[in-house]
């Protein structure tokens, strides 16, 4: 008699060293939750929105709208990762600090600032930021010292280029192994500079100094990043690897972004950094519900003698 092969879950539960994290008044249990991070760019030349939230009022409004749509977290940036002219700490602070202060006054949402300058980090934390999101992988280790001094969280991201510079034709013998080793080294550096392990988050840096094949490999093997034991962030929204995979322009990449985000969650990601918040919120919460982490919003279908007529805004098919 032929027996069926054993079926294993496609879901990877990473061995989190510290599953529960406190961000100001908010607690996230990364063993049973995925945090949705909204992207707020206070730049005139941002990758996706081209400066739509550069004005202060627009940035604050977009942040609070994201919270209403289900964001647990807003990530506020004043300088793009892409190559370009340097911005002084004063100029960058003038862009991000007023947004942080306004959002912190209006909401208990988790706030991070996307910066690699220690001065901007210190001012942002003073204004109400809970997290410093350093996309340069501690290119300036002083930023870790600032985070440690103020008791904030730190996101350590893999990237190779010096800030705002070109890095042509990146090469890896094994991109996932090398990215994981880089992150482990930088985590140890951050801890040596005083950042507690329970305040560290890691990000493999989808597309950052990586081509599409590199980024697809990281997505497939995300469990090797999450396996380091720290909450892992997947910043996949509308990126070029999705455009190249599907031959789509930036504003056509929603479905690809959602699919990639769910793949990363199944591989152990616990934070998704996304643009389209309402859609991403539905994808994340559906994934959490399927995994048994949250209850369905309601139960009526096939729960009684008859199925009730469909609600005009719901389907009982």
């Amino acid at each position: 008699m032929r027996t069926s092969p054993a079926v294993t879950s496609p879901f990877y539960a990473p061995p989190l060293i510290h599953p529960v994290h406190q961000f100001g008044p908010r607690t996230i249990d990364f063993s049973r939750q995925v945090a949705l991070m909204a992207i707020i760019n206070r730049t005139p030349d941002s990758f996706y929105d081209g400066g739509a939230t550069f004005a202060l009022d627009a940035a604050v409004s977009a942040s609070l709208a994201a919270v209403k749509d289900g964001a647990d977290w807003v990530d506020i940036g004043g300088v793009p990762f892409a190559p370009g002219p340097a911005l002084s700490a004063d100029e960058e602070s003038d862009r991000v600090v007023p947004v942080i202060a306004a959002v912190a006054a209006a909401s208990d949402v988790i706030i991070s600032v996307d910066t690699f300058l220690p001065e901007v980090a210190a001012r942002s934390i003073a204004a109400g930021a809970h997290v410093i999101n350093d996309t340069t992988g501690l290119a300036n280790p002083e930023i870790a010292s600032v985070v440690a001094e103020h008791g904030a969280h730190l996101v350590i991201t893999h990237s190779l280029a010096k800030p705002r510079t070109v890095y042509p034709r990146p090469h890896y013998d094994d991109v996932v192994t090398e990215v994981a080793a880089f992150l482990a080294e930088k985590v140890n550096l951050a801890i040596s500079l005083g950042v507690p392990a329970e305040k560290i988050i890691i990000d493999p840096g989808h597309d950052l100094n990586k081509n599409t094949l590199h980024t697809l490999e990281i997505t497939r093997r995300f469990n090797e990043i999450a396996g380091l034991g720290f909450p892992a962030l997947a910043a996949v929204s509308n990126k070029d690897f999705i455009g190249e995979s599907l031959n789509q322009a930036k504003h056509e990449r929603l479905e690809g972004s959602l699919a990639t985000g769910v793949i990363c969650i199944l591989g152990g990601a616990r934070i998704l950094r996304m643009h389209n918040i309402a859609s991403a919120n539905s994808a994340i919460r559906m994934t959490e519900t399927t995994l048994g982490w949250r209850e369905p919003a309601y139960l009526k279908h096939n729960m009684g003698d008859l199925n009730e007529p469909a609600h005009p805004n719901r389907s009982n098919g």
Side-chain angles (χ1 to χ4, degrees):
M1 177 179 176
R2 179 177 296 177
T3 59
S4 299
V7 176
T8 58
S9 170
F11 171 66
Y12 175 70
L16 294 172
I17 300 168
H18 298 283
V20 180
H21 285 237
Q22 191 73 37
F23 302 89
R26 288 211 179 188
T27 301
I28 302 287
D29 181 353
F30 288 115
S31 69
R32 297 185 59 82
Q33 291 175 262
V34 176
L36 173 54
M37 175 193 282
I39 303 166
I40 307 296
N41 291 313
R42 241 213 120 182
T43 60
D45 53 349
S46 54
F47 162 79
Y48 179 70
D49 58 35
T53 55
F54 181 51
L56 175 59
D57 288 349
V60 174
S61 295
S63 299
L64 298 179
V67 174
K68 184 177 180 181
D69 284 342
D72 304 291
W73 186 322
V74 294
D75 186 48
I76 300 164
V79 178
F81 178 85
L87 205 67
S88 72
D90 287 342
E91 290 176 287
E92 186 179 346
S93 296
D94 287 345
R95 291 183 179 183
V96 299
V97 167
V99 184
I100 294 166
V103 173
S107 172
D108 68 350
V109 70
I110 300 166
I111 301 172
S112 59
V113 63
D114 183 345
T115 187
F116 51 83
L117 295 182
E119 303 94 323
V120 177
R123 295 170 188 174
S124 297
I125 296 168
H130 309 100
V131 187
I132 299 304
N133 182 11
D134 177 18
T135 56
T136 70
L138 301 183
N140 184 344
E142 187 183 340
I143 203 164
S145 300
V146 169
V147 169
E149 179 183 351
H150 292 86
H153 270 70
L154 176 66
V155 178
I156 301 173
T157 304
H158 175 273
S159 62
L160 298 175
K162 293 180 180 179
R164 312 284 344 252
T165 62
V166 175
Y167 196 93
R169 297 181 181 85
H171 171 78
Y172 303 88
D173 292 325
D174 183 321
V175 64
V176 179
T177 299
E178 292 173 47
V179 167
F182 173 100
L183 291 172
E185 177 185 346
K186 298 297 184 174
V187 164
N188 288 335
L189 174 60
I191 291 172
S192 75
L193 292 170
V195 182
E198 61 267 25
K199 290 185 177 291
I200 293 176
I201 293 161
I202 56 174
D203 176 357
H206 285 72
D207 268 8
L208 304 186
N209 309 138
K210 302 166 188 76
N211 64 33
T212 289
L213 297 178
H214 296 145
T215 298
L216 290 171
E217 185 75 3
I218 286 170
T219 302
R220 276 192 296 273
R221 295 166 57 190
F222 200 93
N223 61 298
E224 295 177 46
I225 304 299
L228 293 174
F230 299 88
L233 186 158
V236 300
S237 187
N238 298 300
K239 286 197 169 178
D240 285 341
F241 79 96
I242 296 171
E244 291 189 4
S245 295
L246 302 177
N247 191 24
Q248 292 177 339
K250 290 175 186 175
H251 291 276
E252 299 172 332
R253 301 173 186 173
L254 172 60
E255 294 83 0
S257 298
L258 298 177
T260 306
V262 171
I263 290 168
C264 289
I265 293 172
L266 296 178
R270 291 297 174 268
I271 304 159
L272 288 192
R273 186 175 185 269
M274 304 293 283
H275 292 99
N276 307 91
I277 296 304
S279 297
N281 185 53
S282 293
I284 289 172
R285 305 316 164 203
M286 188 66 212
T287 304
E288 290 178 330
T289 305
T290 303
L291 294 172
W293 294 353
R294 63 167 52 224
E295 295 297 320
Y298 66 94
L299 291 171
K300 291 185 179 180
H301 182 70
N302 284 340
M303 296 294 286
D305 294 336
L306 295 171
N307 277 337
E308 297 180 11
H311 186 283
N313 293 322
R314 297 174 186 150
S315 173
N316 280 351

